[in-house]
Amino acid sequence: MTLREFQQRIDAIYGARDRRRGIDATFRWLVEEVGELARALRRRNPQALAEEVSDVLAWTVSVATLAGVDVEKSAARYASGCPKCGGTPCECPADLPA
Ligand SMILES: [Zn+2]
């Protein structure tokens, strides 16, 4: 499944409900799912992690659709490497404390 197909699939499954709920409430659901992903990471539960990643992906795509964003184009931003430095791997200054 391409990202475009995934976005179309999520819209077919949830699009009408997402549009009724609106972008602000849908975004709050995405944030709640990110919290569930954080809990799954803390518990180191591989099954829960896989499910929470898929939920975060689906809610992110729902928010993108409501905002008129084409996720395939968003992903293409990374097709040639890091969007900031162009590197693969990224050669931007490290964001972690030394
Ligand atoms: Zn970079």
Side-chain angles (χ1 to χ4, degrees):
M1 190 184 327
T2 66
L3 278 173
R4 178 155 296 132
E5 289 166 344
F6 183 65
Q7 187 166 22
Q8 290 166 346
R9 190 75 189 123
I10 293 298
D11 190 52
I13 299 170
Y14 301 113
R17 189 185 304 172
D18 289 344
R19 282 183 282 281
R20 278 196 304 275
R21 182 188 311 107
I23 194 165
D24 289 341
T26 301
F27 179 76
R28 287 195 295 276
W29 271 105
L30 167 60
V31 172
E32 185 163 316
E33 289 298 334
V34 170
E36 290 179 16
L37 175 57
R39 281 189 289 281
L41 279 167
R42 249 195 335 266
R43 292 174 185 151
R44 299 175 191 270
N45 176 336
Q47 175 72 26
L49 272 170
E51 288 177 11
E52 295 308 337
V53 167
S54 74
D55 289 346
V56 168
L57 277 172
W59 282 101
T60 299
V61 165
S62 280
V63 169
T65 299
L66 291 173
V69 172
D70 179 334
V71 295
E72 185 109 339
K73 287 183 184 168
S74 294
R77 195 167 156 253
Y78 287 84
S80 301
C82 171
K84 290 181 183 164
C85 71
T88 301
C90 170
E91 295 174 2
C92 294
D95 57 354
L96 297 172

